[in-house]
Amino acid sequence: MDCLIPNCHNEGVHNISIRCRRPDTSAIWAPNTHAYLCDHHAGVGYTIEITLRPNGTNAITTNVSSGNKVETRTTAIVNEP
């Protein structure tokens, strides 16, 4: 995979993911995205903006963007809340 950061030609080896955790810290959902960062960009620091829009599909769709590149993935929710 390529690094998500524009104009970076390094291999993206670190996957970005997001989780919704129960109070006991187990996950209700924890999909990996299709977005990857290289070693260098994994450690530079980020401001992350998260927008939640309920969609009634029983699935999580992630859109991860850095500049004009967007990586999208949809994952079914299989665990109960």
Side-chain angles (χ1 to χ4, degrees):
M1 290 290 179
D2 293 334
C3 181
L4 182 69
I5 304 302
N7 301 314
C8 180
H9 302 289
N10 295 327
E11 182 181 5
V13 294
H14 305 287
N15 184 258
I16 298 170
S17 65
I18 186 167
R19 300 180 199 285
C20 178
R21 293 192 182 272
R22 296 179 185 92
D24 70 2
T25 73
S26 63
I28 296 170
W29 44 261
N32 286 336
T33 68
H34 276 305
Y36 293 83
L37 296 173
C38 68
D39 281 338
H40 171 74
H41 286 114
V44 298
Y46 290 91
T47 297
I48 298 173
E49 299 176 19
I50 298 173
T51 302
L52 298 174
R53 289 188 301 268
N55 61 23
T57 65
N58 293 75
I60 302 297
T61 297
T62 57
N63 297 299
V64 182
S65 173
S66 178
N68 59 354
K69 187 175 183 180
V70 177
E71 295 291 345
T72 300
R73 182 177 186 192
T74 299
T75 307
I77 297 172
V78 296
N79 296 326
E80 295 292 324

